[in-house]
Amino acid sequence: MRATQFLIATVKETPTDAVVISHQLMLRAGMIRKLASGLYTWLPLGLRTLRKVEGIVREEMNKADALEVLMPAVQPAELWQETGRWFQYGGELLRVKDRHGRDFCVGPTHEEVITDLARNELSSYKQLPITFYQVQTKFRDETRPRFGVMRSREFIMKDAYSFHADQESLDQTYDKMHGAYTRIFNRFGLNFRPVEADSGSIGGAKSHEFHVLAESGEDDIAFSDGSDYAANIELAEALAPTGDRSAASAELTCIDTPETHSIEDVCNLLNVDAKNVIKTLIVLGAQTEKQIKAEEPAPLVALIVRGDHELNEIKAEKLTQVADPLVFASDAQIRDVIGAGTGSLGPIGLIDKGIDVIVDRSAAHCSNFVCGANEDDKHMTGANWERDAAMTEIADLRNVVAGDPSPCGTGNIEIKRGIEVGHIFQLGTKYSEALKASVLDQNGKDRTMTMGCYGIGISRVVAAAIEQNNDENGIIWPDAIAPFTLGIVPMGAHKSEAVREKSEALYNELTALGIDVFFDDRDKKTSPGVKFADMELMGIPHRIVVSDRGLEAGTIEYKNRREADKQEIAVNDIVDFLK
Ligand code: ATP
Ligand code: MG
Ligand code: MG
Ligand code: MG
């Protein structure tokens, strides 16, 4: 690509409304532009990286025998009514009507559509197992779209769905997908962890999230440095150790309400430091539907507070007023009040009992955390949660399910922040039962298919990669997902024919070799300093400079974006050196 034919949309100033570094750099490098809240246009530069991420995901999905399909973004309400999610999903679901008054939604996910396809297309156990995937635009009307494409409303997801005759087959595909995900995130060149995640109440169901480690992450993950144990600590999930998945997602449902108070007001009212608020949940109980239909403000609020997370945008967030809230320091306290084992310890359960929930995690030592998989016998309990200094003894990791690979080695629990970039999940028969998706088995009997689902936030990966790879000059792309891998800067091309010729020749030769070259052929009005700065901001990992001085000495200057020092490479060796 020649700079003169490209849209270089770099910006010097840091945009004031961008809080996290990836959002700032994506705007400054000219990768994205905001259209409206949570809606972004991908500029040519950003799209190049997005496509590389997609490409790697496609390759690995194909290798794992998944079949690519493309489903509609708009989905008929009937399917969602069949599974019941039309009523459970809440405000994140964008509902629309067509000209005939029929209800549709813009898909936040595609379990219903794929299961509908499977029930129509699959008839025999001989066709199983089968996995479908797509790379497609999703819409979730997030309460607080933020951090640019990291949490946008419209975003690109790779979602895959597998269908099986039995659990054993699901386990096999699940492991295959786990392996594919590991290869994918390794190929991206990112520092990541697969962690155990909430799997709801579906018996024996497994779920893993893949997290890119970064300080700006919205989740805390706990892992052991002495074993494979790793789990997501999700506060809301920790509050709902039992209860089914649909209830759990309803707990996280938030709607904007017309009657609002600022977060500061609410925090003052509660005597909680606004800085410590990490999640605000307007929780809708059993009356969810009624409220949404009537567009009444939700009367109840759960505010979950924890230490030292700076979310400036949250301050702008509006909440309904909390009347006489209770402030709990630990899950154990909640249990004491509500009684354990009811299956309704989550916010909904509390609210059904007329209690507004405030969990204040701002104290340095919040103990009695339940983290990770919410199976009774398989999570870290009673552990102290102290960020960074978290060196809780492995002894706190107890109650391992018999037969599991032991999570206990020697080592300490570490707690770090992560960005959820992927999520794999054993769905069991939840959707296939609701939609009656079955096949005939060996004996000619109807058998409900067992399902798995597997998502990757394609657009979120781009932002997460930047969170992990940047410096004061801009982005530093891992080679595999760089929009361009090599930059060429000709020095004084306007007055040197030798420089012009050599840089043109190198551009052509390297491009022909399949290298993504960015050739900065802008004229002398653009100084070399500006060209270098643009390339660094855009994160191009390798750069060469063609100059008269170098050519006279028989060399080309090479610089790696990650290294401070430049190298002089012999002109005759440069192509071999770069390929
Ligand atoms: P989160 O916990 O961040 O809200 P999720 O658990 O709701 O994510 P999933 O339903 O598991 O998301 O979807 C699969 C993947 O899609 C996630 O792992 C994430 O990478 C991506 N994703 C989800 N919501 C968004 C969003 N609003 N913007 C960008 N990517 C998203
Ligand atoms: Mg979500
Ligand atoms: Mg999540
Ligand atoms: Mg998830």
Side-chain angles (χ1 to χ4, degrees):
M1 180 62 66
R2 290 167 190 275
T4 50
Q5 283 164 18
F6 197 64
L7 177 71
I8 298 177
T10 52
V11 179
K12 266 219 183 76
E13 299 73 34
T14 302
T16 47
D17 57 341
V19 185
V20 295
I21 191 74
S22 59
H23 189 192
Q24 292 172 0
L25 288 176
M26 287 182 83
L27 291 167
R28 284 190 53 211
M31 293 179 68
I32 53 166
R33 287 294 181 262
K34 180 171 169 175
L35 175 65
S37 171
L39 302 178
Y40 290 85
T41 295
W42 288 81
L43 299 184
L45 185 74
L47 193 63
R48 291 180 72 96
T49 287
L50 192 76
R51 292 284 184 250
K52 288 201 175 174
V53 169
E54 269 180 43
I56 289 173
V57 170
R58 274 207 174 86
E59 273 178 36
E60 295 297 335
M61 282 298 113
N62 294 342
K63 269 194 233 162
D65 302 321
L67 302 170
E68 186 165 3
V69 293
L70 183 57
M71 293 179 261
V74 174
Q75 310 179 10
E78 287 78 23
L79 276 181
W80 285 69
Q81 285 155 0
E82 263 186 85
T83 61
R85 285 211 289 185
W86 184 257
F87 311 106
Q88 292 158 359
Y89 216 88
E92 257 185 40
L93 191 66
L94 180 64
R95 297 151 207 259
V96 291
K97 275 192 198 298
D98 74 2
R99 63 170 74 201
H100 308 292
R102 293 189 200 108
D103 285 317
F104 290 83
C105 65
V106 185
T109 177
H110 278 69
E111 283 84 5
E112 278 80 359
V113 178
I114 197 74
T115 312
D116 178 60
L117 186 82
R119 72 177 164 184
N120 293 326
E121 301 302 322
L122 304 175
S123 53
S124 160
Y125 73 97
K126 289 185 193 148
Q127 294 169 289
L128 305 182
I130 192 164
T131 305
F132 300 105
Y133 80 96
Q134 65 174 346
V135 176
Q136 198 239 19
T137 299
K138 303 281 187 253
F139 192 94
R140 295 183 182 180
D141 203 353
E142 302 272 355
T143 356
R144 282 198 314 280
R146 59 190 179 279
F147 308 158
V149 296
M150 191 107 86
R151 185 171 298 284
S152 47
R153 298 199 292 173
E154 189 175 299
F155 60 98
I156 297 176
M157 197 201 286
K158 182 285 297 177
D159 46 330
Y161 307 88
S162 65
F163 294 87
H164 311 269
D166 54 35
Q167 178 66 33
E168 196 188 333
S169 165
L170 170 59
D171 284 339
Q172 275 165 9
T173 297
Y174 187 87
D175 288 348
K176 202 154 135 185
M177 284 292 156
H178 194 291
Y181 273 46
T182 304
R183 279 192 297 282
I184 287 168
F185 292 109
N186 275 327
R187 282 184 64 182
F188 290 157
L190 300 179
N191 184 10
F192 71 97
R193 297 251 164 190
V195 308
E196 288 190 33
D198 163 53
S199 57
S201 67
I202 306 153
K206 270 202 246 173
S207 170
H208 284 88
E209 290 169 356
F210 286 74
H211 282 260
V212 163
L213 302 183
E215 265 308 300
S216 58
E218 295 181 85
D219 287 346
D220 281 279
I221 56 175
F223 50 89
S224 162
D225 60 9
S227 78
D228 287 342
Y229 184 84
N232 186 0
I233 305 174
E234 277 196 65
L235 291 180
E237 314 276 28
L239 284 170
T242 55
D244 79 1
R245 184 80 190 157
S246 52
S249 53
E251 281 156 20
L252 295 172
T253 298
C254 307
I255 60 166
D256 282 329
T257 57
E259 293 294 323
T260 55
H261 292 259
S262 74
I263 185 104
E264 276 93 351
D265 290 347
V266 176
C267 288
N268 286 339
L269 188 78
L270 303 177
N271 202 15
V272 164
D273 187 345
K275 279 207 304 292
N276 291 328
V277 174
I278 56 153
K279 285 191 182 176
T280 55
L281 307 176
I282 299 175
V283 182
L284 305 171
Q287 314 98 312
T288 308
E289 265 174 77
K290 248 193 309 180
Q291 282 164 348
I292 289 173
K293 284 208 189 108
E295 287 178 17
E296 280 169 14
L300 301 162
V301 174
L303 187 63
I304 299 184
V305 182
R306 188 188 58 189
D308 80 79
H309 201 302
E310 273 184 64
L311 286 182
N312 296 334
E313 285 169 62
I314 209 169
K315 293 191 185 133
E317 200 52 41
K318 307 292 185 186
L319 284 171
T320 48
Q321 186 163 10
V322 183
D324 296 330
L326 289 184
V327 180
F328 295 109
S330 70
D331 303 329
Q333 260 187 22
I334 297 173
R335 255 171 261 232
D336 287 346
V337 176
I338 303 304
T342 60
S344 56
L345 291 180
I348 285 182
L350 296 171
I351 283 156
D352 282 346
K353 293 182 189 293
I355 295 167
D356 293 333
V357 191
I358 307 296
V359 181
D360 187 349
R361 302 287 189 203
S362 59
H365 300 270
C366 298
S367 59
N368 280 323
F369 252 83
V370 181
C371 101
N374 58 12
E375 292 162 57
D376 269 355
D377 288 334
K378 203 181 172 189
H379 41 217
M380 188 170 70
T381 57
N384 283 337
W385 184 30
E386 196 185 341
R387 256 173 51 69
D388 301 330
M391 296 305 272
T392 311
E393 285 298 306
I394 194 89
D396 278 329
L397 185 69
R398 53 181 192 221
N399 300 335
V400 181
V401 172
D404 271 344
S406 167
C408 300
T410 44
N412 296 311
I413 293 289
E414 270 189 70
I415 295 184
K416 289 216 165 123
R417 262 200 226 289
I419 301 167
E420 182 192 323
V421 286
H423 196 167
I424 59 177
F425 202 91
Q426 294 200 351
L427 293 167
T429 54
K430 178 174 169 163
Y431 296 94
S432 44
E433 228 162 68
L435 293 169
K436 302 193 179 54
S438 60
V439 291
L440 293 180
D441 68 11
Q442 293 95 316
N443 307 316
K445 281 222 171 84
D446 250 358
R447 182 185 283 245
T448 304
M449 288 183 278
T450 299
M451 293 171 59
C453 71
Y454 318 89
I456 290 182
I458 300 279
S459 36
R460 183 180 285 183
V461 163
V462 177
I466 298 174
E467 288 295 322
Q468 235 178 39
N469 295 281
N470 66 76
D471 66 10
E472 65 282 2
N473 297 324
I475 303 166
I476 313 176
W477 289 112
D479 283 20
I481 54 175
F484 299 100
T485 40
L486 174 69
I488 300 180
V489 181
M491 290 288 238
H494 59 284
K495 51 182 193 220
S496 165
E497 181 148 5
V499 166
R500 268 199 311 276
E501 270 176 14
K502 188 67 201 171
S503 45
E504 282 280 343
L506 280 173
Y507 170 58
N508 290 327
E509 192 176 353
L510 292 163
T511 303
L513 285 170
I515 298 175
D516 283 326
V517 183
F518 183 79
F519 180 28
D520 204 336
D521 61 345
R522 285 179 286 179
D523 67 18
K524 65 176 185 211
K525 278 183 255 135
T526 309
S527 71
V530 168
K531 293 180 180 179
F532 293 150
D534 278 345
M535 277 187 190
E536 295 195 335
L537 181 56
M538 293 192 286
I540 301 175
H542 307 275
R543 180 188 83 194
I544 57 173
V545 177
V546 181
S547 68
D548 268 333
R549 195 159 47 95
L551 292 179
E552 276 156 30
T555 59
I556 305 265
E557 179 194 289
Y558 165 80
K559 186 175 176 306
N560 186 309
R561 178 72 178 79
R562 284 181 197 275
E563 288 159 15
D565 294 337
K566 298 165 190 152
Q567 298 175 47
E568 296 296 332
I569 310 291
V571 173
N572 292 336
D573 297 339
I574 191 74
V575 172
D576 280 339
F577 177 81
L578 293 170
K579 64 178 183 199

